[in-house]
């Protein structure tokens, strides 16, 4: 049986506890929900953020406060992922975080004096897989959501007949990102930098959660 892993950011890439990529400002909308919903259409052609442009080129899975996976071009190529039924890739335009002036023109485009970097992307998940074994996973109940299982603390996954997708999310958590064993090994063999892997428990429960 193939194993499965939760892929996480290696925060040791951060300099002086500053994220490598961060929001344009504190009032920016939370992209976590917008990029993980089958009920919302995310129709932005690209996402703007600020970044340490000298530092980011050293990594492929990027620490950020947008709460989204940010992938280098190398990560995408090694993982052999592209837009499909489950998700779309969305391009990022990263603006120099040392620039002190106005970032954008009146038309909403980056000003000419702002250095920018392209080639990084994130994932807009349109489908969340029903692979969580709710009976064997651990949840923390929330008073604000009495009808839901609660906050997922320890996940146990069911093994699908067709095997795990290379990269996926589950319905019970919009923050956890999972990769198959074959993708994990491919990322490691190609020295993809900036990520850590935690092996996930897989149950023998084949019953699909509703």
């Amino acid at each position: 049986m193939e194993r499965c892993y939760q892929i996480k950011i290696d925060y040791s890439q951060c300099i002086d506890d500053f994220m490598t990529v961060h929001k344009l400002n504190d009032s920016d909308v939370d992209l976590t929900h917008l990029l993980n919903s089958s009920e919302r259409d995310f129709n932005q052609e690209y996402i703007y953020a600020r970044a340490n442009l000298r530092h980011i080129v050293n990594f492929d899975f990027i620490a950020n406060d947008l709460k989204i996976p940010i992938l280098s071009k190398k990560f995408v190529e090694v993982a052999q992922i592209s837009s499909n039924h489950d998700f779309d890739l969305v391009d990022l335009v990263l603006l120099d975080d040392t620039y002190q002036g106005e970032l954008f023109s009146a038309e909403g485009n980056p000003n000419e004096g702002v250095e920018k970097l392209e080639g990084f992307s994130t994932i807009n998940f349109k489908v969340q897989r029903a692979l969580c074994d709710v009976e064997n996973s651990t949840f923390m109940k929330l008073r604000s959501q009495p009808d839901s299982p609660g906050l997922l603390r320890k996940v146990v996954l069911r093994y699908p007949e067709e095997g795990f997708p290379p990269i996926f999310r589950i319905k019970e958590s919009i923050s956890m990102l999972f990769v198959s064993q074959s993708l994990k090994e491919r990322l490691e063999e190609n020295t993809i930098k900036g990520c850590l892997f935690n092996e996930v428990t897989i149950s023998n429960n084949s019953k699909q959660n509703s």
Side-chain angles (χ1 to χ4, degrees):
M1 180 185 295
E2 186 182 37
R3 298 176 180 178
C4 186
Y5 297 82
Q6 183 182 357
I7 182 171
K8 293 185 172 184
I9 294 169
D10 181 357
Y11 286 102
S12 67
Q13 68 183 264
C14 299
I15 299 177
D16 297 331
D17 294 329
F18 288 106
M19 295 292 182
T20 309
V21 173
H22 44 96
K23 298 177 181 180
L24 294 177
N25 56 67
D26 292 337
S27 63
D28 272 3
V29 66
D30 186 351
L31 293 174
T32 309
H33 291 84
L34 287 177
L35 290 170
N36 293 284
S37 175
S38 57
E39 300 175 359
R40 301 182 180 92
D41 290 328
F42 186 83
N43 54 13
Q44 291 180 218
E45 184 178 355
Y46 35 73
I47 296 169
Y48 287 110
R50 303 190 72 169
N52 183 330
L53 302 187
R54 308 294 179 271
H55 186 58
I56 191 174
V57 295
N58 298 313
F59 300 96
D60 304 293
F61 196 69
I62 311 301
N64 69 90
D65 65 5
L66 284 73
K67 301 179 181 177
I68 58 175
I70 296 181
L71 318 175
S72 71
K73 183 178 180 181
K74 179 182 177 181
F75 187 111
V76 172
E77 291 175 346
V78 168
Q80 299 175 0
I81 56 176
S82 58
S83 296
N84 56 46
H85 175 264
D86 279 13
F87 59 78
D88 291 323
L89 291 178
V90 181
D91 293 333
L92 277 86
V93 178
L94 303 175
L95 308 179
D96 181 9
D97 63 3
T98 65
Y99 187 78
Q100 299 297 315
E102 289 290 332
L103 291 173
F104 297 95
S105 67
E107 292 76 27
N109 300 312
N111 281 317
E112 290 187 6
V114 182
E115 187 178 356
K116 62 183 180 181
L117 180 66
E118 300 182 27
F120 290 83
S121 57
T122 188
I123 305 176
N124 174 25
F125 281 93
K126 300 176 289 185
V127 174
Q128 293 78 36
R129 299 295 184 115
L131 293 178
C132 180
D133 184 342
V134 174
E135 294 178 359
N136 291 298
S137 296
T138 303
F139 294 84
M140 183 181 75
K141 292 292 291 183
L142 300 174
R143 286 183 292 178
S144 59
Q145 302 176 25
D147 296 328
S148 74
L151 188 64
L152 185 56
R153 289 300 192 189
K154 180 181 179 182
V155 62
V156 177
L157 297 180
R158 295 177 301 97
Y159 189 80
E161 292 183 3
E162 68 278 11
F164 289 110
I167 189 165
F168 65 97
R169 289 204 193 275
I170 58 175
K171 294 181 177 181
E172 289 75 14
S173 173
I174 62 172
S175 61
M176 292 182 175
L177 184 63
F178 302 92
V179 296
S180 64
Q181 180 180 350
S182 58
L183 178 52
K184 169 188 178 285
E185 292 174 352
R186 195 156 67 244
L187 295 174
E188 290 177 329
E189 289 168 0
N190 287 273
T191 323
I192 292 298
K193 298 178 180 178
C195 53
L196 302 170
F197 301 96
N198 289 346
E199 185 172 352
V200 178
T201 300
I202 302 172
S203 75
N204 295 319
N205 185 1
S206 61
K207 181 180 178 181
Q208 180 167 321
N209 304 306
S210 59

